[in-house]
Structure formats: C-alpha cells, structure tokens
C-alpha cells in the first residue's frame, strides 16, 4: 500500500541500494587494494567460480548494513534499560570490568573473561530478542505439538515466546545468573509439558540468532 510510511521506507531502501551500487561500481573500476568485505565479495569465488553479480553484491551489502545495526542497537537499549532497574548487577558488572580490563581498552582478548557481561546479554536476548519473529520452511513432514506440518509449510515462530515460556523459572524476571554454568548454578531449564516423555531440551533453548543449516539459517556472527 502506498501509505506515507511505506513510501518513505521504499525511498530509503532505494537510496541505500543506489549508494551501495555506486560504491561497488567504483570498487570494480578502481585498482586500489582495500582489505574489506566489499573487496571479498567482488573477488572471484573460492572454487574458481565467478565473482558476484552487482545486484547480488548490493543485496549482501544491504544485509550487512541492516542486520548488525537494529539488532545490536535494540539489544544494547534493552541491556541499559534492564541494568537501570538492577543497580546490584551494575555494581557486579563494574567489578568484573575493572578486574578484567585493568584500565585497558576492551579488546577481543577480554571477551571470554567478561562472563557476567555475556550472561547479561544472553538474558537480555532471552527477554527481548531483537528479531521477535522468525520463519522456517518445513523440509520433511513433521508432527509438532500434535499438529502435522507437511513439507513446504512455512512456520512462523516467536523467539520471545520461547524465552518467556515455562522452560524457565520465573521467566519474566531478569536473572543473568540463570546462565551461570558454574556447578553451583548450572540447572537445566524445566521440562516443558509439551516435551513430556521426550529427550531433554539443550540447556540453552534461547536462539536469538536463529538456527539452522549454514549457509542460510542463522546470524552470520555465529559463523564467525
Ligand atoms: C544482538 C545482536 C544480533 C542478533 C540478535 C542477531 C540476530 C539475527 C537473526 C535472528 C538473524 C536471522 C537468522 C534467521 O534466518 O533466522 C540474523 C541474520 C543475520 N545477521 Fe545477525 N544478529 C545480531 C548481530 C549481527 C551482527 C553484529 C552482524 C554483522 C556483523 C550480523 C549479521 C547478520 C547477517 C549478515 C545475517 C543474514 C545471514 C544470512 O541470511 O545468511 N548480525 N541475525
């Protein structure tokens, strides 16, 4: 529908695609060696295949601009919102950051040691996954919760419904330590009534980055 909002969106998408198209055209013509994603996309394929066509390169570049911006911005927004309501957790986070960074700027080498920070982000994504609706195509006839889903059916699912379901104790409360995998806290999510008599769920059923066979069905950050 040509509503003002939809028109604004279409124009914005057209502008982004045009700008990226110009960058890609410039790169194809230029000889300078930029060590970046656009260069990688325009190089011939790994197995001697042809380089990506311009429109496909623009598609990928657009995804790479859209995918990391709204997701990370919304996640950080919710992190700060939740931390503002939990000053005790902020104090613990400060202690962790001061200890691990010891006054240095944060780098990749610190990631594994920022354990509480990771738990805070995981717990935030459980409560407020940035992609609140996902879709998958059923590849083989499947029975799910008493319903037969035939191959080819498109299924929509809400990661936030899973995150806030009875799989978790007090699912609405913000409790980063539920992701503490030290022996004192490590408890599997409660078995859901729908799973009675079936194998236990993995410990982390929250899948805010999507999941599925690469190279199509999850966030590219998981592949890295
Ligand atoms: C809180 C952070 C993020 C969350 C929650 C998130 C979540 C997701 C989800 C749910 C998808 C769709 C997967 C599906 O098809 O089910 C996706 C796709 C994608 N994400 Fe992320 N993402 C995040 C950050 C990022 C970042 C930082 C990057 C890049 C640097 C990125 C790049 C991508 C790309 C390229 C895709 C498309 C993958 C494909 O179609 O093959 N995302 N992300």
């Amino acid at each position: 529908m040509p509503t003002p909002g939809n028109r604004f969106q279409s124009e914005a998408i057209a502008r982004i695609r045009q700008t990226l198209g110009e960058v890609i055209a410039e790169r194809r013509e230029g000889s300078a060696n930029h060590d970046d994603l656009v260069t990688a996309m325009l190089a011939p394929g790994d197995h001697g295949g042809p380089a990506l066509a311009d429109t496909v390169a623009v598609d990928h570049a657009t995804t790479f601009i859209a995918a990391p911006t709204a997701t990370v911005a919304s996640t950080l927004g919710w992190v700060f919102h939740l931390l503002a309501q939990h000053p005790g957790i902020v104090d613990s986070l400060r202690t962790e950051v001061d200890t691990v960074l010891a006054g240095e700027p944060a780098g990749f080498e610190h990631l594994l040691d920022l354990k509480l920070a990771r738990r805070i982000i995981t717990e935030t994504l459980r409560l407020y996954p940035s992609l609140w609706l996902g879709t998958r195509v059923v590849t083989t006839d499947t029975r799910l919760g008493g319903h037969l889903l035939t191959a080819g059916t498109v299924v929509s699912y809400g990661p936030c419904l899973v995150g806030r379901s009875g799989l978790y104790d007090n699912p609405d409360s913000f409790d980063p330590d539920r992701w503490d995998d030290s022996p004192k806290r490590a408890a599997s999510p409660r078995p859901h009534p729908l799973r009675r008599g079936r194998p236990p769920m993995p410990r982390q059923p929250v899948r805010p980055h999507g999941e599925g066979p690469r190279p199509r069905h999850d966030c590219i950050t998981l592949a890295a």
Side-chain angles (χ1 to χ4, degrees):
M1 288 286 287
T3 58
N6 285 348
R7 291 214 306 266
F8 178 80
Q9 189 187 30
S10 305
E11 283 160 20
I13 292 171
R15 225 173 28 249
I16 290 171
R17 289 188 66 91
Q18 186 185 337
T19 307
L20 290 173
E22 286 165 10
V23 170
I24 285 167
E26 256 176 48
R27 283 296 178 83
R28 280 211 199 279
E29 282 157 23
S31 55
N33 184 15
H34 301 264
D35 183 17
D36 62 14
L37 185 67
V38 177
T39 309
M41 286 196 306
L42 299 183
D46 281 348
H47 304 289
L52 297 181
D54 275 9
T55 45
V56 181
V58 169
D59 287 346
H60 287 314
T62 309
T63 305
F64 262 98
I65 286 187
T69 42
T71 48
V72 175
S74 105
T75 303
L76 286 178
W78 286 115
V79 163
F80 294 128
H81 170 78
L82 289 163
L83 288 180
Q85 296 169 338
H86 295 84
I89 298 178
V90 176
D91 289 344
S92 306
L93 181 62
R94 272 210 187 98
T95 307
E96 176 177 273
V97 169
D98 288 347
T99 311
V100 173
L101 301 190
E104 295 294 312
F108 275 115
E109 68 277 15
H110 300 118
L111 270 183
L112 288 180
D113 293 324
L114 292 168
K115 295 190 162 80
L116 174 59
R118 174 181 284 267
R119 294 203 296 273
I120 289 171
I121 291 170
T122 304
E123 179 68 343
T124 302
L125 285 167
R126 178 183 73 81
L127 289 165
Y128 300 103
S130 20
L131 257 75
W132 53 273
L133 187 72
T135 57
R136 286 292 180 270
V137 178
V138 177
T139 52
T140 46
D141 291 357
T142 304
R143 191 161 280 284
L144 186 66
H147 300 276
L148 175 66
L149 307 174
T150 50
T153 307
V154 177
V155 177
S156 301
Y157 65 95
C160 45
L161 298 180
V162 179
R164 290 178 184 245
S165 71
L167 288 166
Y168 296 93
D169 289 330
N170 302 320
D172 289 332
S173 74
F174 177 63
D175 175 13
D177 282 350
R178 70 172 83 236
W179 303 104
D180 184 348
D181 47 17
S182 63
K184 68 180 163 48
R185 271 297 294 246
S188 294
R190 269 193 276 153
H192 193 272
L194 283 177
R195 296 195 61 80
R196 231 175 268 138
R198 308 186 56 196
M201 289 281 281
R203 181 159 182 276
Q204 298 208 357
V206 162
R207 293 285 181 251
H209 296 272
E211 191 173 9
R214 274 262 114 206
R216 261 302 318 154
H217 289 115
D218 54 23
C219 174
I220 203 128
T221 49
L222 292 184

